[in-house]
Amino acid sequence: FFGERYLPKISIAPGAVRAEFGMTTSGTFKQEVRARHGLPATYFLTVATVEPRKNLPTLLDAYVQLRQQLGQACPALVIVGRKGWNCDDILRYMTALEESVHFLGHIADEDLIALYQMATCLVFPSLYEGFGLPVIEAMKTDCPVITTTSSSLPEVAGDAALLVDPLSAEEMTTAMQRVLQDEALRQRMIAAGRVQASRFSWEQTALLNREAYVKAAALC
């Protein structure tokens, strides 16, 4: 409508995470966090607002399948995040699985960093993301990542994550089982995640934003 003079192009500046996510948390603090939130020794982690686009029902379906396959050997599922819009049905599903699903709500970053570091992996099942910050947060903390082929997530995750169809509970189940049972794969994902996370920094974000403003100013 306005023409190329006013809207010539879109500039993209990716996000990043705070340096604290790359610092190792002490064993004592990890145990305090585990006790404070009543967490078991092993668990899958999800960090997401409880709302439809985060696709938690598919994750819960996948988790139910994994429990059916592994029985008592299946780790718990820990979900961290605020309650969002249209979340009642999702919360009821979680409640029905409350013996093995722990919904912690919103927690402090210090606790979240420890949770990432202790988790078997992050499962981030989102249908749509503008960026997908938990993917980089997890990689920065040496937590392997399973995420989806949707929107920006393949670009953010690179080759460091296992990517699954966001609408396939079966693919999600298989990926979770692989990370749980294949320690060599898990270690490769951790190493690749460190490399991928290093590609994102607030310095780079600031530089790209500055370049965008300079280009925009030149058009005025």
Side-chain angles (χ1 to χ4, degrees), residues 5-28:
R5 177 182 174 187
Y6 299 98
L7 296 173
K9 65 180 295 184
I10 294 174
S11 296
I12 297 175
V17 300
R18 291 173 22 222
E20 287 86 347
F21 281 83
M23 298 178 183
T24 301
T25 301
S26 73
T28 299

Side-chain angles (χ1 to χ4, degrees), residues 60-164:
L60 294 171
D61 288 345
Y63 183 68
V64 167
Q65 291 181 21
L66 189 64
R67 282 195 64 82
Q68 290 171 347
Q69 294 173 14
L70 301 181
Q72 294 302 312
C74 184
L77 174 62
V78 175
I79 299 175
V80 173
R82 300 181 188 275
K83 296 178 183 178
W85 64 279
N86 199 15
C87 66
D88 290 347
D89 287 345
I90 304 170
L91 292 171
R92 277 193 287 269
Y93 196 172
M94 289 185 200
T95 301
L97 302 171
E98 62 183 358
E99 285 190 7
S100 50
V101 175
H102 302 252
F103 176 54
L104 307 187
H106 177 72
I107 63 174
D109 277 356
E110 292 78 10
D111 284 17
L112 178 60
I113 291 168
L115 289 183
Y116 276 129
Q117 292 179 359
M118 294 187 291
T120 297
C121 71
L122 173 78
V123 188
F124 192 64
S126 186
L127 293 169
Y128 178 79
E129 291 293 324
F131 183 68
L133 200 59
V135 171
I136 300 303
E137 289 179 344
M139 290 179 177
K140 193 78 171 177
T141 59
D142 286 352
C143 179
V145 174
I146 298 168
T147 190
T148 70
T149 56
S150 175
S151 62
S152 62
L153 293 169
E155 183 177 359
V156 172
D159 61 0
L162 295 184
L163 301 180
V164 300

Side-chain angles (χ1 to χ4, degrees), residues 19-39:
E20 287 86 347
F21 281 83
M23 298 178 183
T24 301
T25 301
S26 73
T28 299
F29 184 70
K30 287 177 182 175
Q31 293 309 312
E32 290 175 1
V33 171
R34 193 188 300 278
R36 179 158 55 247
H37 298 290
L39 300 181

